[in-house]
Amino acid sequence: MLSKSMQEALNNQVRLEASSSQAYLAMASWAEIQPGLDGVAEYFFLQSEEERVHMLKLMRFVNERGGFAVVPVLQQPNITFKSLKSMFEDFLNGEIAVSNSINELVDLALKEKDYATHNFLQWYVSEQIEEEKSARILNEKLELIGEDKSGLYLFDRDIMATRQRGGRDGHKK
Ligand code: FEO
């Protein structure tokens, strides 16, 4: 059985994953209407779906453990971006915030000696290592490319391959 504080903390994570899903959906939509960013759009549509999977996994766990998973109210995410680079910076910052929040959850699970939740959270710990790494690599590439158009063309063309390489657990396609 989950404690009240653990239930609240997990529901907070549900909200964070749902917000990430919405944020990436907005990035996908913005990229889709820019010339030549079809690969980036596809990347964020899939990233958005993945965050929804993260949210669902948490909700099922909360209910399984005798809690109540709450569907959250969400704010509208940023829907426009001043540049591709700033959008990818938002992506990385979002992932860092999620990692910090997962770490706090792990901390709480240990404090409460809730080893079932601690065990469940290990999947998220590993996932965040991959997510942060991918976001960092993409930011580094954009830094290197700068305003070079042929570089940006290749970045867009190859971005889906970076997802496939990062496919650790089978749900990244
Ligand atoms: Fe589910 Fe990318 O955090």
Side-chain angles (χ1 to χ4, degrees):
M1 184 84 185
L2 291 173
S3 71
K4 197 167 177 300
S5 52
M6 182 54 82
Q7 182 177 311
E8 269 173 26
L10 289 169
N11 272 323
N12 186 53
Q13 191 65 30
V14 165
R15 188 183 47 72
L16 200 51
E17 301 289 351
S19 298
S20 300
S21 180
Q22 289 291 87
Y24 298 157
L25 195 57
M27 290 177 185
S29 181
W30 180 82
E32 198 168 42
I33 62 160
Q34 310 304 311
L37 292 182
D38 309 358
V40 171
E42 191 62 20
Y43 180 89
F44 280 106
F45 275 121
L46 287 176
Q47 199 68 31
S48 172
E49 276 180 32
E50 195 174 293
E51 298 302 348
R52 182 176 155 77
V53 171
H54 297 176
M55 175 195 73
L56 289 174
K57 234 171 134 70
L58 279 157
M59 292 183 75
R60 303 302 293 269
F61 178 77
V62 169
N63 285 341
E64 247 172 45
R65 300 273 326 279
F68 175 44
V70 178
V71 175
V73 176
L74 301 175
Q75 282 187 337
Q76 187 178 41
N78 277 346
I79 56 168
T80 57
F81 303 89
K82 69 176 195 292
S83 66
L84 188 64
K85 193 160 181 305
S86 81
M87 187 174 85
F88 274 86
E89 282 165 8
D90 288 357
F91 174 37
L92 176 59
N93 290 334
E95 289 304 329
I96 291 170
V98 171
S99 297
N100 291 341
S101 175
I102 293 290
N103 288 343
E104 280 173 25
L105 277 172
V106 171
D107 206 38
L108 181 64
L110 284 176
K111 276 192 189 117
E112 293 194 356
K113 297 190 177 5
D114 180 349
Y115 298 116
T117 301
H118 183 268
N119 184 53
F120 168 76
L121 289 171
Q122 295 314 301
W123 183 88
Y124 286 85
V125 172
S126 306
E127 183 69 8
Q128 280 315 117
I129 293 171
E130 290 297 322
E131 300 255 291
E132 262 193 60
K133 183 175 143 200
S134 302
R136 260 182 231 287
I137 289 172
L138 292 170
N139 272 275
E140 283 164 11
K141 280 179 196 257
L142 281 176
E143 187 67 41
L144 212 61
I145 291 166
E147 295 300 312
D148 178 55
K149 288 214 171 5
S150 53
L152 283 171
Y153 170 82
L154 293 175
F155 178 87
D156 184 77
R157 193 196 65 180
D158 295 341
I159 190 168
M160 290 304 285
T162 66
R163 270 188 70 86
Q164 278 144 13
R165 269 204 303 281
R168 190 177 43 75
D169 55 17
H171 73 262
K172 289 180 180 171
K173 296 274 175 355

